[in-house]
């Protein structure tokens, strides 16, 4: 079974909305506004690219990343990975031609079937709604969180507000940095 890893830039109060500056959110770009850049805090992002064998995205994140990431040197490794987009509305004609193999999945059952295939870790970037659905369905195996020392109040959240049984997590890696950023890596306890 493949490991499904959710990776996120997240505010201390759980917001993941528009960390890189995507339009339509009043605090867009909050990851680097007034927070000193400390390169070692982002080491995990390079490691994710090296360890991932596939990428899973929701429709909104795919449409935000696909026009930009294929040509960015920082994300060159992702260009070679197979990508899976969970969407009930996208068609093959909506996929960009310059980002490698991309498959549209129509349901969480198809994501569960993908996890049963041979291969290494599958990484989920962005995709707030998808992350909430994956978590509620018990499909996420690990969280890679870079927690930023900022409270944003409103915005898309990583975790759902569904009333459900407690889900235990095991902290397997952590670090705190001079700029207040924290790295937290959790395995989901089954």
């Amino acid at each position: 079974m493949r490991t499904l890893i959710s990776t996120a830039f997240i505010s201390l109060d759980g917001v993941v909305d528009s960390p890189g500056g995507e339009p339509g959110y009043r605090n867009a770009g909050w990851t680097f506004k007034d927070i000193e850049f400390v390169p070692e805090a982002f080491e995990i992002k390079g490691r994710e690219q090296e360890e991932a064998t596939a990428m899973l995205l929701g429709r909104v994140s795919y449409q935000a990343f696909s026009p930009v990431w294929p040509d960015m040197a920082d994300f060159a490794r992702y260009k070679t990975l197979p990508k899976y987009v969970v969407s009930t509305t996208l068609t093959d004609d909506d996929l960009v031609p310059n980002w490698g193999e991309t498959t549209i999945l129509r349901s969480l059952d198809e994501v569960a079937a993908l996890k049963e295939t041979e291969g290494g870790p599958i990484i989920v970037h962005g995709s707030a709604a998808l992350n909430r659905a994956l978590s509620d369905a018990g499909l996420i195996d690990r969280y890679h969180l870079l927690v930023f020392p900022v409270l944003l109040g409103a915005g898309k959240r990583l975790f759902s507000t569904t009333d459900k049984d407690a889900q235990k997590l095991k902290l397997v890696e952590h670090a705190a940095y001079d700029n207040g950023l924290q790295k937290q890596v959790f395995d989901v306890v089954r």
Side-chain angles (χ1 to χ4, degrees), residues 80-100:
T80 66
L81 297 182
K83 281 157 277 308
Y84 298 89
V85 183
V86 181
S87 173
T88 59
T89 59
L90 280 182
T91 67
D92 287 337
D93 290 340
D94 296 318
L95 301 177
V96 298
N98 64 333
W99 206 18

Side-chain angles (χ1 to χ4, degrees), residues 39 60 63 73 93 106 116-117 131-132 144 153 157 166 171 176 188:
V60 173
Q63 289 177 319
D93 290 340
R106 298 293 181 197
E116 295 293 330
T117 62
N131 264 291
R132 291 189 297 272
H144 288 183
R157 308 270 171 186
L171 183 66
V188 175

Side-chain angles (χ1 to χ4, degrees), residues 28-39:
W30 53 269
T31 52
F32 299 106
K33 285 183 181 173
D34 303 320
I35 298 174
E36 177 189 357
F37 179 75
V38 176

